Amino acid sequence: MTGAQLNELSRVGAVLQDEPMARHTTFGIGGPADTYIKVRDRASLRAAMLLAVRHRIPYFILGSGSNILVGDNGIRGLVIENDARSIEGPEDLNGGRARLRADSGMSFAALARQACRAGFWGLEWAVGIPGTLGGAVVYNAGAYGGCLADILTSVEVADHQGRTETLPASALSLEYRGSVFTRGLFRDRVLLSIEMRLRRGSIDEVMQRVAELDAKRKTAQPPGRNAGSIFKNPAGRPAWWYIDEVGMRGERIGDAAVSEKHANFFMNAGRARAAEVKALMEDAAKRVRERFGVELHPEVALVGEGFGPMDVRS
């Protein structure tokens, strides 16, 4: 970006250059972003996006840094970290229903836990899911039999002309870990806020269910630096079963490792590089394909540059 463009951007928020993305991802992996800005409200998110469009600068919207693997050579253009977290509700409606609206940068797990502590059903399955609410919409996040499509009613988006509009959930074509966003149909739109419908219940009953799911998640999922589930679950059996069956539990390439606790979690066990994680993913997918004829598709998004042959460590 030019000096004039950086000055313009600095009026939206604090700007960093050559910012290591490893500092901003749950994997702890990723080369530098050319330019990086953190925005704290919907207006600033829209303004940063429009500035990039106006100057023909590629941009990437970053949530909490989960569910992505950033390349070792980083991200060209502008990375916009979405930290817009305003919440409205839950507001009681008739028939025991409630409306909840939140900005797209809100922590999904924090929002879910807050709603559950207030005695609302609908987000109890989400209390341990990392990432932002916007990311949850993009990938139709789900766990333990629930998913965002079950409760989503509408979203507010901004397009490259600066227009904002509210779209019904039906316009997003939500499916298992996918939507119009993942299929590239909404490349010119940015999520600003999300509205959901919840059901009022007993605080004790809701929190009892949350405690059960917390315990289940703690037992099944490994702590440490990872991006969550690496592969989507194919039909029939979960991805971890296939990875385990082909003998890859505990396998390593450099400091990228398949978790001993959950084979669909790949870990940064030290100074892992994106190229190492990608090579491990390709090895797992190849073994499963050759033995079972099943294709494993990534659930994590590969973002930026530098996933090719691994460089020699210095």
Side-chain angles (χ1 to χ4, degrees):
M1 296 180 71
T2 67
Q5 291 166 353
L6 289 171
N7 285 336
E8 185 180 356
L9 186 63
S10 68
R11 292 195 286 271
V12 178
V15 177
L16 301 171
Q17 291 187 274
D18 297 319
E19 176 67 6
M21 289 302 297
R23 297 175 179 171
H24 304 282
T25 66
T26 58
F27 240 145
I29 296 172
D34 288 344
T35 308
Y36 188 100
I37 185 171
K38 184 174 185 175
V39 297
R40 299 187 182 278
D41 55 52
R42 295 196 300 271
S44 299
L45 173 60
R46 177 175 170 272
M49 178 268 290
L50 288 175
L51 184 149
V53 171
R54 186 165 61 254
H55 294 295
R56 298 184 179 179
I57 298 166
Y59 69 90
F60 174 72
I61 306 295
L62 176 73
S64 64
S66 63
N67 210 44
I68 65 169
L69 175 63
V70 175
D72 297 316
N73 295 335
I75 302 176
R76 305 289 69 81
L78 174 64
V79 172
I80 305 169
E81 181 184 347
N82 180 11
D83 196 39
R85 299 186 180 194
S86 175
I87 303 172
E88 298 175 18
E91 174 191 352
D92 283 310
L93 303 172
N94 58 345
R97 299 176 305 137
R99 175 171 50 223
L100 176 61
R101 185 172 183 262
D103 287 351
S104 55
M106 178 65 193
S107 163
F108 190 36
L111 180 69
R113 198 169 292 275
Q114 181 175 322
C116 289
R117 284 173 175 160
F120 290 96
W121 292 106
L123 283 169
E124 62 282 354
W125 50 271
V127 292
I129 293 182
T132 60
L133 185 53
V137 172
V138 169
Y139 293 100
N140 187 24
Y144 301 116
C147 70
L148 198 62
D150 298 335
I151 58 171
L152 185 67
T153 56
S154 64
V155 297
E156 180 191 14
V157 299
D159 66 18
H160 283 181
Q161 285 70 49
R163 298 171 301 207
T164 60
E165 63 178 325
T166 299
L167 301 174
S170 58
L172 304 183
S173 300
L174 297 172
E175 61 183 14
Y176 174 69
R177 303 302 175 266
S179 68
V180 289
F181 292 99
T182 59
R183 294 193 290 279
L185 301 177
F186 273 22
R187 286 193 185 95
D188 65 339
R189 300 184 190 186
V190 171
L191 278 165
L192 299 178
S193 66
I194 289 89
E195 186 173 297
M196 297 156 283
R197 288 290 187 274
L198 306 178
R199 292 180 293 106
R200 178 164 289 285
S202 158
I203 294 177
D204 289 343
E205 290 178 3
V206 174
M207 291 308 296
Q208 180 180 343
R209 180 57 176 161
V210 168
E212 292 169 359
L213 295 180
D214 278 343
K216 203 171 185 178
R217 190 175 282 108
K218 186 175 181 180
T219 299
Q221 296 181 4
R225 292 181 295 169
N226 63 74
S229 295
I230 282 285
F231 294 106
K232 299 177 184 179
N233 288 325
R237 293 182 181 272
W240 70 261
W241 183 90
Y242 289 104
I243 298 168
D244 197 22
E245 284 294 304
V246 297
M248 287 201 65
R249 186 182 292 267
E251 285 275 314
R252 291 178 69 131
I253 296 179
D255 279 342
V258 179
S259 170
E260 294 276 5
K261 190 170 188 178
H262 192 307
N264 197 27
F265 279 66
F266 289 17
M267 313 298 295
N268 178 357
R271 295 175 56 225
R273 298 186 178 185
E276 293 170 342
V277 176
K278 185 169 184 284
L280 200 61
M281 292 171 64
E282 289 172 347
D283 190 15
K286 181 174 181 286
R287 292 197 207 182
V288 169
R289 185 188 311 115
E290 289 177 348
R291 179 167 172 186
F292 295 103
V294 171
E295 289 290 340
L296 292 181
H297 298 285
E299 183 165 328
V300 297
L302 274 60
V303 180
E305 302 173 351
F307 296 100
M310 289 168 284
D311 299 326
V312 177
R313 289 183 186 274
S314 57

